[in-house]
Amino acid sequence: MKKTRKIKIIGAGGIGGHLIEPLARYLSYGEDNVEITVFDGDHFEERNKERQRFSACENKAEHTVAQLKEQFPRIHFRAKGEYLTEDNIITSIRESDIVFLCVDNHATRKLVSDRCEELDNVTLVSGGNDYTDGNVILYVRKNGKDITKSPTALHPKIANPDDKNPGSLTDEERQGCQEEARTNPQLLFTNLAVASAMCNAFYALEQGKAKFHQVYVDILQQRMRPSPDNINF
């Protein structure tokens, strides 16, 4: 029996919510034995509707998985309505996982990057954006060696985050972060562009054509620019 391919999607909001459906469609009709686990401790709010698709103000991971199960019955979906923290990271990301990281804070990016560096074989596709631009980082380890550079190696702000993991915040601190998000809005079109670039990076890797560490996206300049290096998969 063919080994189950395990996909972990961390964050089902602005980027993750637009990435999950096309990725699931591609995997559903491309191969058997696929398991997709979605992690998110946040709940949908009315203010999210300008950028995200949902029908009830429920936990993002659980609501998203409930909808996807009906569309793609060939895939085994799992919902984890929780944030990734030091307490659950080891059991959440394991050997040979393919991880799509779609969060908005560097603390979680560092946590996931550090965990992937501990594994012998793992693929991490991390996406993030500001209002009209963003980037995608492709981090691959094979047989205990880095094939591409980790997010912490590429970006000092990820290696030394000045924000906090939402899973470690109190309710009061989390409300403060939500208020900050209201004053620093994101744009639907940029979320879509980064989600698409993440899928593109994954497909390029699948085809043996991914010769880059990261891709920069700017929707105003209509530009998608890879940052290549000497990479041999």
Side-chain angles (χ1 to χ4, degrees):
M1 183 176 178
K2 188 177 179 181
K3 186 177 180 180
T4 299
R5 198 173 200 195
K6 296 191 176 183
I7 313 291
K8 307 294 176 65
I9 299 177
I10 305 166
I15 295 174
H18 296 299
L19 174 142
I20 294 173
E21 184 176 341
L23 178 64
R25 189 176 304 279
Y26 169 74
L27 293 171
S28 180
Y29 294 99
E31 57 186 278
D32 297 322
N33 302 317
V34 176
E35 177 184 282
I36 296 179
T37 304
V38 183
F39 294 84
D40 202 315
D42 197 11
H43 285 65
F44 286 116
E45 300 178 46
E46 286 298 319
R47 66 182 179 86
N48 299 139
K49 283 193 171 180
E50 65 183 41
R51 294 185 298 115
Q52 300 169 31
R53 182 186 303 135
F54 62 95
S55 58
C57 294
E58 301 171 339
N59 174 268
K60 291 181 178 180
E62 294 170 359
H63 183 81
T64 300
V65 163
Q67 293 182 317
L68 292 174
K69 280 182 176 180
E70 297 180 2
Q71 295 184 64
F72 308 107
R74 293 180 60 190
I75 294 178
H76 175 56
F77 287 98
R78 301 168 67 225
K80 294 287 186 178
E82 58 193 33
Y83 296 106
L84 287 191
T85 66
E86 293 284 356
D87 294 332
N88 62 13
I89 187 68
I90 292 178
T91 57
S92 298
I93 299 178
R94 299 185 176 186
E95 287 289 345
S96 301
D97 281 351
I98 300 172
V99 183
F100 290 86
L101 183 57
C102 314
V103 299
D104 59 2
N105 67 92
H106 290 323
T108 302
R109 293 185 182 111
K110 175 176 169 52
L111 177 72
V112 173
S113 180
D114 288 348
R115 172 55 179 162
C116 289
E117 289 182 53
E118 298 173 348
L119 300 174
D120 289 334
N121 295 280
V122 69
T123 297
L124 170 63
V125 185
S126 176
N129 64 264
D130 290 320
Y131 195 67
T132 60
D133 63 352
N135 75 319
V136 173
I137 299 171
L138 179 62
Y139 179 40
V140 179
R141 281 180 61 79
K142 283 189 176 182
N143 301 320
K145 296 182 179 180
D146 283 354
I147 305 301
T148 61
K149 296 178 182 178
S150 70
T152 54
L154 287 170
H155 294 282
K157 288 186 177 180
I158 297 178
N160 300 285
D162 58 8
D163 53 20
K164 292 183 178 181
N165 185 316
S168 66
L169 300 177
T170 64
D171 290 341
E172 184 177 350
E173 288 174 325
R174 196 169 291 118
Q175 289 175 1
C177 288
Q178 291 171 349
E179 184 59 38
E180 183 179 347
R182 292 187 182 93
T183 59
N184 295 284
Q186 292 193 22
L187 183 65
L188 167 64
F189 305 132
T190 316
N191 289 162
L192 286 167
V194 172
S196 179
M198 292 177 73
C199 290
N200 295 346
F202 173 66
Y203 183 73
L205 180 63
E206 293 277 279
Q207 301 303 309
K209 302 294 185 180
K211 305 300 181 182
F212 50 85
H213 294 288
Q214 61 184 322
V215 176
Y216 298 96
V217 178
D218 187 324
I219 69 167
L220 294 183
Q221 298 297 321
Q222 294 295 295
R223 181 177 299 168
M224 189 176 292
R225 177 173 59 86
S227 175
D229 210 330
N230 296 321
I231 298 171
N232 295 305
F233 285 98

